[in-house]
Amino acid sequence: MPERPGLRESVERIRSGNFSSRELAENCLRRIEALNGKLNAFAHWDADAAKADIQDGPLAGAPYALKDNLCREGTLTTCASKILEGWISPYSGGAAARLDEAGARYLGKTNMDEFAMGSSTEYSVYGPTKNPWDSSRSAGGSSGGSAAAVASEMVPLALGTDTGGSIRQPAAFCGVVGIKPTYGRVSRSGLVAFASSLDQIGTLTRDVGDAALALESLMGQDPLDATSLGEAIPALQPELDRGVKGLKFGIPAEDQWMQLDAGPARVFQDSVDALREAGAEPVEIALPHAQHSVAAYYLIATAEASSNLARYDGLRFGPRREAETLEELLLANRSQGFGAEVKRRILLGTFALSAGYVEAYYQRAQKTRTLIRNDFQKAFETVDFMVIPTTPTAAFHLGEKSDDPLSMYLSDIYTLPASLAGLPAASVPCGLDAGLPLGTQIWAKTLDEAMLIRAAASLERAFPFGEIRRAALASLVEAS
Amino acid sequence: MEITDKLLREIESLARLPLQQDERESLRRDLSRILDHFESLAELDLQGIEPSSHVAQAEPFYRDDEPRPGIGSKIALSGAAEIEDGHFRVPPIIGEEEHA
Amino acid sequence: MSLPSGWEMVIGLEVHAQIHTRSKIFCACPTGFGGEANSRTCPVCLGMPGALPVLNRRVLEMTALLGLALGSRVALRSQLARKNYFYPDLPKGYQISQYDQPLCEGGAVEIPFEGGRRKIALTRIHIEEDAGKNIHLDGRSLVDLNRCGTALAEIVSEPDMRSPDEAREYLGRLRQLLLWLGISDGNMEEGSLRCDANVSVRHVGDTELGQRTELKNLNSFRAVAAALAFEAERQVAVLESGGKVEKVTLLWDAHEKRSRPLRGKEESKDYRYFPEPDLLPAGLSEGELSTLVAGLPASPLDRLDSLMENHDLDFYEADILTRERAMVDFFELLAEACGDSKAASRWMLGELARQLNDRVQNIEDLKLRPDSLAELIVLERDGKLSGLAAKSVLEKMLEEGGSANEWMERLDLAQLSDAGELANLVKSVLEANPKEVERYRGGRKKLFGFFVGEIMSATKGKADPKEVGRLLREGLDA
Ligand SMILES: [Mg+2]
Ligand SMILES: [Zn+2]
């Protein structure tokens, strides 16, 4: 019997009285305390979280963690930034409120890149999160803490946020399932904004079924988020066993934006083969504008970020520095409060919006985004879902890219197109390259989370990855 | 696109984000290199293409004009480093402006 | 104050009007004036991390209504946009406003002009959020965010005005319409109506615009007129002495009666507008707009015309009576009920206006109904109430309601005009004062007043003075 079961099993066993939700929470907290020194997955947690007993609701008593950019009333919310040091959110965002209503138990907040800006969870005031598979490597980012926490079984469910791949890429690096639903499916209320038109909350779980269960509680319109969608929420769990027989799936046509090394190429081919064996038909799909995703994404995301992060001035929250005049104070708070990558992006975005450049940069990027969306619309006229690698490589070494922002940005190429189009996307672990996990991504049409889960579950059946992960991470298990 | 030192200083000023002298040169090079890469967008024919400011394909919804009490000044001020008489206190503002 | 001949001024106004809503534009915090600092705030209007705006439907409705009344094109889908700048009363570091796709475009404000009408064209009307307030103290400033997030309509005119008087008239007519439609309370002292101006001067006959300056802080009608005149004269003086007008923003100092350049560094403004990603394009449906159009009341100027035509009032009377919708509604009912437009107008502009002013009351809050006032007017006209008594009755009706007849009875104010009764009274007064009668008849005509006074005191002032005079003359001169 696993001491720390996944989400569905946790709920079932709490319900059946096999163990209490308190016992489970205590197990998780012990695990966090034992492993966090090594992995740095959690930014902070509530040591008293196991006090009450919770039995009701679809997630009755199951523990969860939030990324440190998600507000929950009365909890520290710092976005791993010095500028929000000590800030306690006085309100709960939509996602935390829904999990609480569903009976899930909040344990703490996970580490991340500052303001979700990064792909390695190295740009954090808490220090980098380590990959549970190899502590010299990155857990990915920016939801690296959530991915590492789930992979190392500190918690069965962690929420992440995905602006350009920040759930899917760390999920792939850590060998867990990461899902970003359609933009607008999960309320962004309480998500500390990085890039508002791209940010989306999603799940990191051990398997697809756990994600389906959590998403059913998370999705739905929120009167406090005007971009949240009112469409009916599909039942996701019935999709788990439907299989993909008779469906068509797209695979990206070979072109300049798809260059894989032999290892990742082989793992991806295995995924395609597995889906074919499950009865689905691959169709080569051209996405002629996807190669411009990095440029479009980084211009739009940084432009929005430059505005979203203007509120951090040290006047109403966050620590304050000494200054004679307001202007000096503002400059001191901001220049000392933000880290290097955040500064880089604020300045890039300010440039992209500034007079004389806005047409050539921000506006061109928004139009390019339309072309990318159109590519997808056309693609989904012929296929039911698409598959693509999540990352060009397995987890890189800590420090390997942190001094080379452009190469960090370029490594997001496979996750960005779906972000720009607002599509639902998942990363499912589906193989190892030199002992490190790789993920395959699934993209579905807008609002078609049902298809996403159906395809992801089929892929998962071909690779019983839970066993592989548990075996590989046995040394971690022993540590607690 | 080469970001000159002068342009970078203008951007810093707009963003209220002054860089240290030692940060500036490397950031200037990073930004120039990143923007060079982004020049690929210039090749695209974007004539007549609408921008995608939003991807949510939804009818907008609005609030009804129903007031509800706020969180109260005590909580509103709870994160502030300096308060005075129920207000956020800031150093003197040089240059005043009525705006909106 | 006027410009030297050969020069003309060109004025455009930007007016910010607080829209009368119960809650703020993007959050449910209550609106209001005064109160404990920072008490009407929430994560949204405090700009807290993670909080998102949701647009108040009434703001769209009220602004669309204004646009429809002014003949603007009202967009079915307009775009909210972020205007980025740093200021401590702007907690997000940007104001949610509108930029290239405002809710309303075009239209005009019609103003009375040299006996006719003139249209001042509008560029646009857009919605946006108000900022908070800074209080500047010694060595520090304090920030109150209660006002932050109050809904504003910004009404931008074309540079279509040529004199301070015209600008003042434009602002007055715009304010009148805002009140008329219930969109804003238009209170300039409390800042619910604020005005900025763009001013330039040029030689008469020139078609190009001169370099303009921006005037801020015009907090009253008087300030608008004074500041514009001052600024235009300043610009002419600069140009005539061979100088160049600089593009500056000036603050009007109402106390010193002069403008001065905004202090602080004058940086080029780059607001980096872009579409607000947190809000989808906003607008009302065609159906909702037609409902608004159907509910639009006749405009103040139309009602003014109708008063002049159908009630034979002059411009001055009709203009005052159409300041507020409730006033002209009251007037028309009153004129109909009493059948005398002139008397109705005289009463409303005279005694009623005075009473309302003393009581600081609005006509719509009155207990007094038009038909009660009509009754009063008729009683006075028919000689049943003296002018003085009628005023006392009006006072009672304003305080406690009720009808004019009722109060006349209760206060025993009915005028004594019965000829027989008065004749007896005159007779007995003359009999009681034989010496005075003799002296009167001997030429002391001034004693006439003495007899009137005797009769009035005997009747406690209720005797009809006209009738008393006639009877006295009869008795004395016979
Ligand atoms: Mg404005
Ligand atoms: Zn509020």
Side-chain angles (χ1 to χ4, degrees):
Chain A
M1 173 196 104
E3 290 297 309
R4 297 161 301 269
L7 186 65
R8 281 176 305 169
E9 196 184 333
S10 294
V11 173
E12 278 159 23
R13 289 172 60 185
I14 290 168
R15 284 227 184 94
S16 68
N18 186 276
F19 49 62
S20 77
S21 76
R22 286 182 55 178
E23 286 172 274
L24 179 58
E26 279 159 11
N27 278 354
C28 288
L29 287 170
R30 267 201 300 278
R31 180 80 166 168
I32 294 167
E33 272 150 26
L35 284 184
N36 207 53
K38 187 171 176 189
L39 298 177
N40 205 23
F42 271 77
H44 41 87
W45 62 91
D46 176 6
D48 296 329
K51 282 204 170 131
D53 201 35
I54 311 174
Q55 281 169 328
D56 297 325
L59 299 178
Y64 76 92
L66 296 173
K67 189 175 174 179
D68 199 27
N69 60 349
L70 297 173
C71 292
R72 185 175 180 277
E73 189 177 343
T75 64
L76 191 60
T77 308
T78 73
C79 295
S81 179
K82 233 184 340 187
I83 211 157
L84 269 176
E85 188 186 323
W87 187 65
I88 309 280
S89 171
Y91 72 102
S92 282
R98 278 174 174 265
L99 289 183
D100 290 344
E101 274 161 34
R105 183 197 300 273
Y106 168 81
L107 292 189
K109 303 236 177 132
T110 56
N111 200 6
M112 59 186 281
D113 286 299
E114 184 179 2
F115 283 101
M117 296 180 186
S119 311
S120 66
T121 315
E122 289 171 285
Y123 306 125
S124 162
V125 278
Y126 302 105
T129 294
K130 315 281 174 54
N131 192 312
W133 294 72
D134 174 350
S135 60
S136 72
R137 290 178 188 268
S138 167
S142 63
S143 310
S146 289
V150 169
S152 61
E153 300 186 354
M154 292 174 170
V155 69
L157 167 67
L159 297 193
T161 63
D162 190 313
T163 306
S166 280
I167 288 174
R168 291 161 284 159
Q169 184 252 25
F173 279 11
C174 293
V176 296
V177 173
I179 295 189
K180 173 198 99 76
T182 305
Y183 180 85
R185 275 293 206 194
V186 179
S187 168
R188 289 185 300 114
S189 169
L191 191 185
V192 182
F194 157 21
S196 314
S197 77
L198 293 150
D199 293 342
Q200 189 56 208
I201 294 173
T203 55
L204 290 120
T205 53
R206 287 176 218 172
D207 59 34
V208 178
D210 285 359
L213 176 65
L215 285 169
E216 283 177 349
S217 289
L218 278 166
M219 297 197 300
Q221 193 162 41
D222 179 353
L224 296 180
D225 174 3
T227 60
S228 66
L229 301 170
E231 274 77 3
I233 302 307
L236 297 179
Q237 295 187 78
E239 302 294 329
L240 293 168
D241 301 317
R242 284 186 68 189
V244 290
K245 196 165 179 189
L247 299 180
K248 283 186 181 164
F249 67 101
I251 50 173
E254 194 97 29
D255 64 54
Q256 50 186 323
W257 70 288
M258 286 288 301
Q259 280 156 5
L260 282 180
D261 290 342
R266 173 187 48 75
V267 168
F268 180 62
Q269 190 55 48
D270 289 348
S271 293
V272 173
D273 293 345
L275 288 167
R276 189 191 287 126
E277 274 160 37
E281 178 195 342
V283 180
E284 196 162 275
I285 288 288
L287 295 172
H289 301 97
Q291 58 176 304
H292 299 290
S293 294
V294 175
Y297 170 84
Y298 275 95
L299 289 168
I300 294 167
T302 59
E304 291 181 5
S306 73
S307 175
N308 283 328
L309 273 64
R311 72 189 63 195
Y312 303 104
D313 54 14
L315 305 187
R316 293 167 311 284
F317 34 76
R320 177 180 291 194
R321 282 142 194 101
E322 283 305 311
E324 291 291 310
T325 68
L326 180 79
E327 183 71 10
E328 283 173 26
L329 179 69
L330 187 63
L331 298 179
N333 281 335
R334 288 171 64 79
S335 71
Q336 293 167 47
F338 290 132
E341 179 62 17
V342 172
K343 287 183 188 176
R344 190 148 47 222
R345 294 197 191 191
I346 290 175
L347 293 171
L348 180 57
T350 303
F351 166 79
L353 285 174
S354 64
Y357 300 102
V358 63
E359 293 87 1
Y361 291 93
Y362 172 77
Q363 285 173 13
R364 281 196 86 79
Q366 289 289 32
K367 290 176 182 174
T368 304
R369 186 179 193 179
T370 303
L371 296 179
I372 292 167
R373 291 172 71 193
N374 293 347
D375 285 354
F376 275 115
Q377 196 158 15
K378 211 164 149 229
F380 282 115
E381 283 167 14
T382 24
V383 299
D384 300 294
F385 63 93
M386 298 184 68
V387 293
I388 182 169
T390 308
T391 57
T393 64
F396 44 78
H397 282 102
L398 289 166
E400 190 179 326
K401 293 184 192 250
S402 51
D403 293 330
D404 184 357
L406 181 58
S407 99
M408 187 83 92
Y409 299 173
L410 293 172
S411 68
D412 294 339
I413 180 69
Y414 298 122
T415 51
L416 296 178
S419 297
L420 286 164
L423 302 180
S427 176
V428 180
C430 60
L432 295 175
D433 179 32
L436 292 169
L438 279 166
T440 291
Q441 249 188 124
I442 296 162
W443 293 341
K445 289 200 277 285
T446 294
L447 296 171
D448 203 355
E449 282 81 12
M451 179 60 72
L452 191 76
I453 293 292
R454 185 175 170 188
S458 293
L459 196 55
E460 184 178 62
R461 257 194 303 281
F463 301 97
F465 203 81
E467 295 310 312
I468 298 171
R469 187 186 61 245
R470 190 157 285 129
L473 304 186
S475 59
L476 282 179
V477 179
E478 280 155 22
S480 68
Chain B
M1 163 92 201
E2 170 80 7
I3 299 281
T4 61
D5 190 64
K6 178 169 174 289
L7 178 55
L8 183 54
R9 283 172 196 272
E10 284 168 22
I11 300 166
E12 290 171 40
S13 160
L14 269 180
R16 296 295 196 281
L17 194 53
L19 296 172
Q20 305 294 318
Q21 194 52 44
D22 57 337
E23 301 173 281
R24 183 172 291 112
E25 183 51 25
S26 76
L27 203 131
R28 194 190 63 75
R29 272 197 310 258
D30 284 344
L31 291 184
S32 301
R33 207 159 66 87
I34 290 164
L35 287 170
D36 278 343
H37 184 82
F38 293 177
E39 293 305 324
S40 70
L41 296 189
E43 300 157 15
L44 292 169
D45 179 11
L46 298 170
Q47 207 68 32
I49 304 291
E50 286 294 313
S52 284
S53 309
H54 299 92
V55 292
Q57 290 153 340
E59 279 298 300
F61 67 85
Y62 310 114
R63 277 181 40 243
D64 289 331
D65 185 26
E66 294 293 339
R68 273 204 319 271
I71 56 175
S73 59
K74 202 167 158 234
I75 298 175
L77 296 162
S78 63
E82 287 184 34
I83 54 179
E84 179 179 332
D85 192 21
H87 295 77
F88 298 96
R89 184 169 72 196
V90 302
I93 300 166
I94 306 298
E96 65 213 73
E97 187 176 351
E98 268 298 313
H99 54 99
Chain C
M1 284 213 249
S2 65
L3 291 185
S5 73
W7 290 95
E8 75 171 356
M9 26 185 336
V10 177
I11 305 162
L13 294 186
E14 284 177 24
V15 175
H16 286 93
Q18 282 185 355
I19 302 173
H20 195 71
T21 55
R22 299 167 66 212
S23 61
K24 293 184 179 180
I25 182 169
F26 297 122
C27 63
C29 288
T31 53
F33 185 72
E36 190 196 338
N38 293 300
S39 58
R40 293 190 298 272
T41 57
C42 74
V44 176
C45 56
L46 288 164
M48 278 187 176
L52 297 173
V54 182
L55 180 58
N56 182 337
R57 170 183 286 278
R58 187 168 165 83
V59 175
L60 274 181
E61 289 169 347
M62 290 291 100
T63 310
L65 186 71
L66 179 64
L68 293 168
L70 291 170
S72 311
R73 295 182 297 283
V74 180
L76 296 175
R77 283 286 175 271
S78 70
Q79 178 73 61
L80 281 303
R82 291 190 186 176
K83 179 180 182 179
N84 295 284
Y85 64 97
F86 288 89
Y87 211 61
D89 60 12
L90 189 72
K92 297 189 297 298
Y94 56 85
Q95 179 194 31
I96 304 178
S97 180
Q98 299 198 291
Y99 184 51
D100 55 354
Q101 297 171 54
L103 187 62
C104 308
E105 286 184 278
V109 173
E110 218 178 343
I111 63 173
F113 183 71
E114 292 176 352
R117 297 273 194 277
R118 195 165 120 60
K119 284 188 168 180
I120 307 298
L122 295 178
T123 313
R124 57 191 277 147
I125 304 170
H126 71 245
I127 58 177
E128 60 181 32
E129 57 182 335
D130 208 343
K133 274 182 181 163
N134 299 321
I135 303 160
H136 304 285
L137 297 176
D138 204 23
R140 68 216 190 272
S141 297
L142 304 182
V143 184
D144 175 7
L145 298 176
N146 275 345
R147 194 181 70 176
C148 189
T150 303
L152 295 177
E154 181 174 330
I155 304 128
V156 184
S157 85
E158 292 285 294
D160 237 8
M161 286 159 273
R162 297 290 175 269
S163 72
D165 283 345
E166 219 175 14
R168 192 181 166 136
E169 185 66 30
Y170 165 88
L171 188 61
R173 293 295 159 187
L174 185 58
R175 178 177 180 276
Q176 175 184 33
L177 187 68
L178 289 165
L179 290 161
W180 192 264
L181 299 173
I183 292 170
S184 176
D185 65 20
N187 189 330
M188 290 190 89
E189 277 113 72
E190 288 182 3
S192 51
L193 189 72
R194 304 197 284 274
C195 181
D196 301 335
N198 292 308
V199 198
S200 61
V201 295
R202 64 183 174 189
H203 290 290
V204 174
D206 280 0
T207 47
E208 299 276 296
L209 291 174
Q211 174 62 52
R212 66 178 198 196
T213 59
E214 202 181 336
L215 278 168
K216 287 180 170 282
N217 210 21
L218 309 179
N219 292 333
S220 68
F221 283 85
R222 189 175 308 172
V224 171
L228 289 170
F230 179 90
E231 176 56 13
E233 286 183 14
R234 189 190 68 83
Q235 290 186 13
V236 169
V238 167
L239 293 170
E240 286 194 332
S241 66
K244 210 173 128 236
V245 174
E246 300 288 336
K247 183 180 193 304
V248 284
T249 300
L250 302 155
L251 276 188
W252 177 247
D253 185 330
H255 203 67
E256 297 279 318
K257 298 209 182 339
R258 53 177 295 120
S259 60
R260 53 185 167 77
L262 214 58
R263 278 190 292 130
K265 62 174 179 183
E266 193 62 43
E267 60 177 39
S268 68
K269 282 185 184 144
D270 182 353
Y271 291 123
R272 289 158 287 138
Y273 280 101
F274 72 102
E276 167 58 278
D278 289 332
L279 293 166
L280 300 179
L284 300 175
S285 67
E286 291 190 44
E288 288 166 323
L289 290 179
S290 346
T291 307
L292 287 178
V293 170
L296 261 185
S299 80
L301 289 185
D302 286 351
R303 297 288 293 274
L304 186 152
D305 286 344
S306 146
L307 291 192
M308 289 174 71
E309 256 173 55
N310 304 328
H311 292 276
D312 198 28
L313 301 184
D314 61 26
F315 176 83
Y316 170 80
E317 291 173 295
D319 187 28
I320 298 183
L321 286 172
T322 48
R323 286 284 155 82
E324 291 169 40
R325 217 161 108 198
M327 185 104 116
V328 60
D329 287 346
F330 192 101
F331 169 79
E332 285 184 343
L333 291 170
L334 177 62
E336 164 127 18
C338 76
D340 183 346
S341 300
K342 280 288 175 190
S345 162
R346 195 174 63 246
W347 269 90
M348 283 192 65
L349 299 182
E351 191 56 23
L352 183 61
R354 196 182 63 76
Q355 294 268 7
L356 289 179
N357 195 43
D358 289 352
R359 288 156 202 271
V360 200
Q361 253 186 329
N362 289 319
I363 199 152
E364 58 264 40
D365 311 327
L366 289 184
K367 287 180 186 149
L368 178 72
R369 307 305 333 140
D371 45 0
S372 320
L373 182 54
E375 197 180 300
L376 182 69
I377 291 174
V378 170
L379 286 172
E380 193 213 13
R381 189 187 58 201
D382 294 349
K384 297 205 172 105
L385 270 176
S386 70
L388 208 64
K391 285 177 187 175
S392 317
V393 169
L394 176 63
E395 214 169 300
K396 282 296 181 189
M397 290 199 294
L398 287 172
E399 271 159 23
E400 299 178 37
S403 81
N405 267 309
E406 239 172 84
W407 281 111
M408 184 175 72
E409 300 286 315
R410 272 174 72 181
L411 300 175
D412 194 17
L413 286 172
Q415 193 154 269
L416 211 59
S417 50
D418 181 88
E421 205 176 322
L422 282 177
N424 286 337
L425 198 63
V426 167
K427 201 173 157 217
S428 62
V429 165
L430 294 185
E431 280 168 7
N433 298 283
K435 278 184 196 161
E436 283 75 11
V437 171
E438 206 168 311
R439 286 164 63 197
Y440 178 87
R441 288 182 177 149
R444 293 285 306 250
K445 298 295 179 199
K446 274 189 184 166
L447 280 168
F448 192 80
F450 161 77
F451 296 110
V452 175
E454 286 297 294
I455 290 162
M456 282 302 174
S457 79
T459 58
K460 293 179 191 147
K462 288 184 291 178
D464 181 346
K466 260 193 287 175
E467 193 63 11
V468 168
R470 192 181 61 80
L471 288 168
L472 264 178
R473 235 168 261 120
E474 249 178 45
L476 286 166
D477 298 340

